[in-house]
Amino acid sequence: MIIVLDGCGAGEAPDAPEFGDHDHPDTLRHIRDAVGEIDAPHLAALGYLASAGYPAAERLADRCVCYGRLRPLSMGKDSVTGHWEMMGVLVERPFPTYPSGFPIPLVKEFESAIGRQTLANRAASGTQIIADLGQQHVDTGFPILYTSADSVFQLAAHEEVVPIETLYEWCRIARALCVKPNDVQRVIARPFVGDTAGGFKRTERRRDFPLPPPANLVDRIGDVYGIGVVPELFDGRGFRSVPRTQNNAQHWKEMERALASDARFLFANFEDFDMLYGHRNEADGFARCLEEFDERLGGMIAALRQDDLLILTADHGNDPTTPSTDHTREFVPISVLTPVGPPSRLGDLEGLAAVGEFVASWLGIR
């Protein structure tokens, strides 16, 4: 099983300046510097924190622990390129980004297809733009179109103004229109609720519509039990049908069901670190989230069978102590827990595909 701690970077990558990261990001280390010691004994015992420069901790006595860092090679610092690279897909061309908004012809084509205008068409914080334009959207019914530093076409709409299935259908329309040269990596539905008096708030019915991935390890394994956003990142291909969970607490409940299933491969993403705290520059919240995750992780480790392989990693960084609220180009930690073999420090490995190589070897797949 792979568990991705979304946004938990382990130090500035050599090419970070090429991705606009000039503040020397170091997510996990900077969180510790900002808030002090983090009470996460299981992440410490697995070497996950040591890979990010934390003091060495006592290892688990009855299992083999290998840990180190992975240097990303794909041309992106986001969840899609990170997860794809883990499964053997190297993204060599950056997906287009739109700091000044999307091209007018693309926007007009989209508006014509859905039969109404859009608002905004600019790069913005998702929480801020619904605060700024939420009431105008409610008054007009026009969806809010925005982007970020990533290659994303995000569409926000109030659930009482635009039915959720309608919003999803608009996103499917956008997905079909976003082709080269505007082959945006992800179209994202961003539903929200609330009003001006009490404030607008995004709901947990977000849905991602990414470009379909090339052939990868998920295809070879098949019948993968995906948790959180993972199946969506691979366009659902190769994943069994399970409920879509939306936050870390829900992911843990689904993980319990997954462990009790007959699945050979579990692939989970826990995004609260990134979504709730990294993007909002909240180091304290990020630290608390790590501690809460660690408590649940301890129970899961105790329930592992002797022939289970557990890998903890991340897909990119999101340093909450830098001025930016965007993802950061960093090494990511990797911790491998197995019942056999000598413990070892892996050092720095080239490419996130090392994750998939561990999985393929364990399952006997070339």
Side-chain angles (χ1 to χ4, degrees):
M1 65 193 75
I2 298 172
I3 299 180
V4 179
L5 284 67
D6 201 310
C8 290
E12 179 183 14
D15 56 358
E18 298 174 27
F19 290 81
D21 295 321
H22 302 283
D23 297 310
H24 307 294
D26 199 341
T27 299
L28 291 175
R29 188 196 297 262
H30 285 167
I31 290 170
R32 179 172 175 266
D33 292 344
V35 307
E37 294 297 330
I38 296 174
D39 184 17
H42 301 99
L43 289 172
L46 291 172
Y48 196 87
L49 299 180
S51 70
Y54 285 58
E58 184 177 351
R59 300 282 173 259
L60 296 173
D62 59 341
R63 295 240 173 185
C64 166
V65 175
C66 303
Y67 69 95
R69 301 192 306 175
L70 305 177
R71 176 187 174 184
L73 300 179
S74 289
M75 295 304 296
K77 53 175 183 177
D78 54 81
S79 291
V80 174
T81 55
H83 287 72
W84 283 12
E85 188 173 328
M86 291 178 208
M87 295 295 100
V89 176
L90 186 66
V91 177
E92 298 178 329
R93 179 184 68 85
F95 291 103
T97 57
Y98 300 88
S100 301
F102 297 101
I104 295 302
L106 174 62
V107 174
K108 292 298 183 184
E109 187 177 13
F110 174 69
E111 291 175 339
S112 176
I114 67 171
R116 66 181 73 187
Q117 293 176 250
T118 58
L119 302 174
N121 185 27
R122 64 174 185 261
S125 156
T127 52
Q128 187 60 51
I129 202 163
I130 62 172
D132 294 342
L133 298 176
Q135 188 58 50
Q136 187 177 352
H137 160 72
V138 171
D139 293 340
T140 63
F142 300 161
I144 303 170
L145 172 62
Y146 67 104
T147 187
S148 73
D150 294 329
S151 182
V152 290
F153 184 109
Q154 301 186 93
L155 209 61
H158 197 290
E159 291 193 4
E160 295 179 8
V161 175
V162 177
I164 192 69
E165 290 301 328
T166 299
L167 178 60
Y168 292 160
E169 180 57 28
W170 288 352
C171 288
R172 293 186 188 98
I173 291 171
R175 177 70 279 161
L177 294 177
C178 289
V179 296
K180 288 184 178 180
N182 298 307
D183 52 338
V184 179
Q185 186 191 68
R186 270 190 293 174
V187 175
I188 305 178
R190 293 286 196 176
F192 65 94
V193 294
D195 54 37
T196 302
F200 295 105
K201 180 181 179 181
R202 295 195 297 198
T203 72
E204 293 186 337
R205 297 210 277 180
R206 161 184 170 167
R207 183 172 294 180
D208 292 44
F209 300 82
L211 288 168
N216 62 86
L217 181 59
V218 166
D219 297 320
R220 286 181 174 270
I221 297 174
D223 192 29
V224 176
Y225 203 119
I227 296 175
V229 73
V230 178
E232 293 172 15
L233 301 181
F234 291 84
D235 200 28
R237 199 175 71 225
F239 289 84
R240 64 172 60 183
S241 179
V242 298
R244 168 63 157 98
T245 51
Q246 298 279 357
N247 57 51
N248 284 9
Q250 292 179 8
H251 302 333
W252 278 120
K253 290 182 180 179
E254 193 62 36
M255 180 66 76
E256 293 174 1
R257 288 187 283 268
L259 287 169
S261 75
D262 61 352
R264 298 175 66 207
F265 178 34
L266 280 55
F267 197 175
N269 176 286
F270 284 70
E271 79 271 32
D272 285 2
F273 313 101
D274 175 82
M275 183 175 66
L276 299 183
Y277 306 112
H279 285 304
R280 299 176 185 178
N281 287 355
E282 294 184 13
D284 288 343
F286 207 127
R288 289 195 306 272
C289 196
L290 285 166
E291 293 176 344
E292 292 165 359
F293 178 91
D294 189 84
E295 185 174 354
R296 297 298 300 268
L297 177 64
M300 193 200 76
I301 291 174
L304 293 178
R305 300 168 303 193
Q306 274 301 109
D307 59 346
D308 286 336
L309 174 77
L310 170 65
I311 300 172
L312 301 182
T313 189
D315 46 356
H316 51 73
N318 195 339
D319 191 334
T321 70
T322 64
S324 171
T325 59
D326 298 328
H327 295 155
T328 45
R329 180 70 164 186
E330 298 184 49
F331 287 89
V332 299
I334 181 171
S335 295
V336 183
L337 184 65
T338 74
V340 296
S344 65
R345 197 182 193 292
L346 301 172
D348 290 345
L349 304 179
E350 290 290 298
L352 276 59
V355 173
E357 290 168 0
F358 277 114
V359 172
S361 176
W362 195 254
L363 297 179
I365 297 172
R366 186 174 63 83

